[in-house]
Amino acid sequence: MVEVQKSGAFQVLVGKVDNILQYAVGDPLRYLANWGRLYSLWPVHLETACCSVEVGAAAGSRFDFERFGTLEAFGSLRQCDLLIVMGTVTRKLAPRLKLIYDQMADPKWVIAMGACAITGGLYFDSYNVLRGIDDVIPVDVFVPGCPPRAEALLQGIVLLQEKIRKLPTLSGA
Amino acid sequence: MTFEMSQANTPQPGTVAKPPAVPSSPPAQPKPEPARAKDLSVRINSRFPTVAVNWMKEKRLKVTTTPDKVKEVAFFVRDDLGFDHISAVSGVDWIAKNELEIVYFAGSVKPGWADFVVAVAERVARDNPVAPTLIEVWPGAEYHERETHEMLGINFQGHPNQSHLLLPEDWNDLPPLRKDYVSPGR
Amino acid sequence: MTVESEYSPDADRIMAVSLGPQHPGAGHFRIKLWLDGDFLVRSEPDAGYVHRGEEKMGEYRNYIQNVPHLERPVILDSCGILMPYALGVDELMGNSIPPRAQYLRVIMCEANRIISHMYYLGILGIFVGHSTMIEWAMGDRDFWIDFAERIGGARVTFAYIIPGGVRNDMPAFAVEKGLKTCDWFDKRLDEYEKIFLKNPLFLQRSEGVGVLSKEDAIRLGTTGTVLRASGVKHDLRRDEPYCVYPELDFEVPVLEGGDSWARAYVALLEMRESVKIIRQALKKIPPGPVRLKLGPQPRVPAGEVYSRTEAARGEMSYHIISDGSPRPYRLKIGTPSFKNLRALPHLLRNVHVADIPVIYWSLNYWPVEADR
């Protein structure tokens, strides 16, 4: 039996069965898991700076991001999977931002909203401002603007949803 | 739709920008003397002869004193002149004269004086800036003084808590508003 | 065996908790709380999470370049924070602003006051669990943002009020939109009173909660709605008039209670007055130029000025020192939230935990503005 396992034909057979399982069971499962994730994003309730006003407007009744499935979570931050960094991150907030990001459950995504979160923006020469948050946490979508219009934030969420739809692994990492 | 843009001053490519036109204003009329400010400064000077009055405008008066007298002057301004709350506390770094200036702007809610602001200023040496706290005079000055302490390095004696309010807890550089502190990136 | 016999009476009873920067009820701010069970013993604010160094940055830019970054601290009320800056620089330069520009400044400041108060009442609604209030307020303030966008060009940051006047003229279609919005909003404010401010559940949660007496309000240096809700009739639009406020007819609402409900109700009454002001200003506005030609780098003569106006949250003040160069020597911004901050540990003391969000937000404290 051990010699049969080492033969090339058996390996090819195992490979083909693996491929069939992948197409028949793995891909649809992954599609289903990603579909569930992208239509139920839970943002962390962390307000960083002035862009939070436009997020408030985006959550309001005119622009309503709840119809995209993004619902503000009032529970613990450990059950959230989306971190929208709304604006400038100062040096005082940066360690707290990392702490919050580390506590979120995998898979998690980050939207950098506003010019200040992307490169430091208008406050590039301030002594207390981080020039872009991608030095501290990894970012998935950058939404430019100062502040970005609420429609621009909605476009950013839709882009993130497209990214999640195409994730290659089941764990979403 | 009419839009009024100052296109006269945006330089067209290839030309040199013209110097800005002097804004035309009506001929200067002799300004009446600020009566209330003069009255207040007379009262202050009669009680504290060494206090200097820096500017006297229609609704503003600035008196400059020294750190050892500033508390008495402040009590006088609050109790006798009726300026009952702090509007702002501003610290200025006069690096050329090697001094720091602290200005307390006091306002009033009493009718007739609600538009007036008295500024009580004092100057301290730059290398050892120590001044008494004025929390007993105006309790609202507590956070203002704390901010001035962390931004300019002035030590307010008698202040209950001079820890950092706005700066991060681990700030170990020069106080940021000093002129010899240069912002990174400039 | 009772519980008391197991624990020592004093130690371990007080628990220190952070109502931290990541909290649905905190904003960009942290409050350190010391709790004894359900009872709050004392609190201490921890500001500085949005301290961006505006005052230091002001010294590296000239007077016109300062306008965009100075309007970001209180982005909801961006004209309110630029108004005293423009007044101060105009006073230093000796500019006389054309009347049409002054009317436009007043219209934008009052529209921003309404936008800011709507956000305030909306968030106050969600803090007490009234989700209809937040959705209505966030949706309705968009009508006012549309009106301001027709004049200023952007949704919240217009960079509109500059030294020398305003940046551009108001198009004719904005007047009609403004008058329609005023008429519609008057009726809408009656509905807000019915569902929120006269709602018995909100009254139960906010009446008598966080009472700030008149003497304390004056002594601690509070301004704006907090001061007027404690019985002090002090409004810089009436007491130290600027622009064309003396020509407009409006009242200053004052309430005697000093509790959280009074602070919220004063905001609603102020919105009614703002609608009156905008309607009058839109009808009385004269034609003419809107901007003095100062150039991109105006030279301001040496001098010192302390200018203040009534922004949405209270008294906004600037201490500008100029040394004759195109850049300010010292630009000190005094924001109403920072002035009101001293009242927070005074009020958040000896109350139950459930009263904390109501008291905290009723002070209309905007952390970005207080930190600058």
Side-chain angles (χ1 to χ4, degrees), chain C residues 16 41 49 75 87 116 164-165 175 177 207 227 237 239 255 265 280 290 298 301 316 318 335 347 363:
Chain C
V41 176
Y49 288 93
I75 200 174
L87 285 181
S116 174
V175 178
K177 165 97 181 166
E207 221 168 14
L227 190 63
R237 295 175 291 171
D239 297 324
L255 290 174
Y265 198 53
Q280 290 171 51
V290 294
M316 185 80 72
Y318 273 79
T335 51
L347 286 179
L363 287 176

Side-chain angles (χ1 to χ4, degrees), chain A residues 28-48:
Chain A
L29 263 184
R30 184 176 49 83
Y31 181 80
L32 215 59
N34 286 341
W35 175 87
R37 283 182 186 128
L38 67 96
Y39 283 126
S40 65
L41 291 168
W42 294 87
V44 174
H45 204 117
L46 170 73
E47 291 170 35
T48 327

Side-chain angles (χ1 to χ4, degrees), chain C residues 35-346:
Chain C
L35 299 170
D36 177 12
D38 190 45
F39 205 64
L40 177 64
V41 176
R42 73 176 181 98
S43 66
E44 197 189 308
D46 180 22
Y49 288 93
V50 207
H51 174 67
R52 300 184 280 201
E54 304 265 352
E55 299 181 2
K56 184 76 177 179
M57 282 168 63
E59 297 174 12
Y60 286 116
R61 292 163 169 71
N62 70 36
Y63 288 93
I64 299 288
Q65 286 171 334
N66 264 327
V67 167
H69 81 90
L70 280 180
E71 69 171 346
R72 259 100 180 141
V74 53
I75 200 174
L76 307 162
D77 180 30
S78 51
C79 291
I81 192 171
L82 280 181
M83 189 73 214
Y85 175 71
L87 285 181
V89 176
D90 287 334
E91 187 181 321
L92 278 176
M93 289 176 75
N95 292 337
S96 64
I97 306 294
R100 188 174 173 89
Q102 295 191 9
Y103 270 92
L104 283 173
R105 281 179 174 183
V106 164
I107 291 173
M108 283 300 266
C109 280
E110 293 303 315
N112 270 289
R113 190 185 308 268
I114 295 177
I115 292 170
S116 174
H117 279 319
M118 290 296 277
Y119 187 91
Y120 162 56
L121 287 178
I123 304 282
L124 187 58
I126 195 66
F127 273 19
V128 300
H130 197 313
S131 45
T132 307
M133 184 63 196
I134 187 176
E135 299 299 339
W136 278 22
M138 289 302 192
D140 289 344
R141 76 187 260 272
D142 258 68
F143 287 102
W144 284 106
I145 292 183
D146 276 350
F147 168 61
E149 187 179 2
R150 275 157 177 71
I151 305 181
R155 268 175 60 94
V156 277
T157 47
F158 324 99
Y160 190 61
I161 297 183
I162 59 173
V166 292
R167 207 161 36 86
N168 55 268
D169 202 349
M170 171 171 71
F173 55 80
V175 178
E176 182 199 316
K177 165 97 181 166
L179 291 170
K180 262 200 317 196
T181 316
C182 287
D183 294 331
W184 164 82
F185 197 61
D186 265 333
K187 300 195 211 68
R188 196 76 170 145
L189 281 175
D190 295 331
E191 289 181 45
Y192 279 119
E193 263 190 70
K194 266 192 274 193
I195 65 156
F196 187 54
L197 287 148
K198 300 273 165 76
N199 188 337
L201 295 172
F202 180 61
L203 282 168
Q204 266 182 12
R205 269 200 86 161
S206 64
E207 221 168 14
V209 166
V211 177
L212 187 64
S213 68
K214 191 168 173 176
E215 295 75 31
D216 280 338
I218 300 176
R219 198 174 56 100
L220 297 175
T222 52
T223 79
T225 51
V226 177
L227 190 63
R228 286 192 281 281
S230 292
V232 181
K233 192 169 177 124
H234 181 71
D235 185 334
L236 287 172
R237 295 175 291 171
R238 271 270 178 272
D239 297 324
E240 190 180 339
Y242 50 95
C243 280
V244 291
Y245 281 110
E247 300 171 26
L248 298 169
D249 173 38
F250 65 99
E251 282 155 29
V252 173
V254 172
L255 290 174
E256 296 293 328
D259 54 6
S260 307
W261 182 83
R263 292 191 274 270
Y265 198 53
V266 162
L268 189 104
L269 295 174
E270 280 188 8
M271 282 202 279
R272 282 196 201 278
E273 303 301 321
S274 290
V275 169
K276 265 200 258 178
I277 295 177
I278 295 181
R279 203 182 272 131
Q280 290 171 51
L282 283 173
K283 291 190 182 138
K284 281 166 103 165
I285 186 168
V290 294
R291 187 177 176 185
L292 295 175
K293 294 185 172 38
L294 294 178
Q297 208 173 2
R299 288 212 167 246
V300 174
E304 192 177 343
V305 70
Y306 186 69
S307 58
R308 48 183 199 162
T309 62
E310 186 82 18
R313 288 177 162 74
E315 171 191 314
M316 185 80 72
S317 61
Y318 273 79
H319 178 218
I320 308 177
I321 300 185
S322 158
D323 55 356
S325 70
R327 299 180 173 170
Y329 188 80
R330 172 78 169 107
L331 181 67
K332 157 83 185 166
I333 316 167
T335 51
S337 291
F338 195 71
K339 296 174 191 179
N340 284 341
L341 182 58
R342 183 59 185 88
L344 188 71
H346 175 80

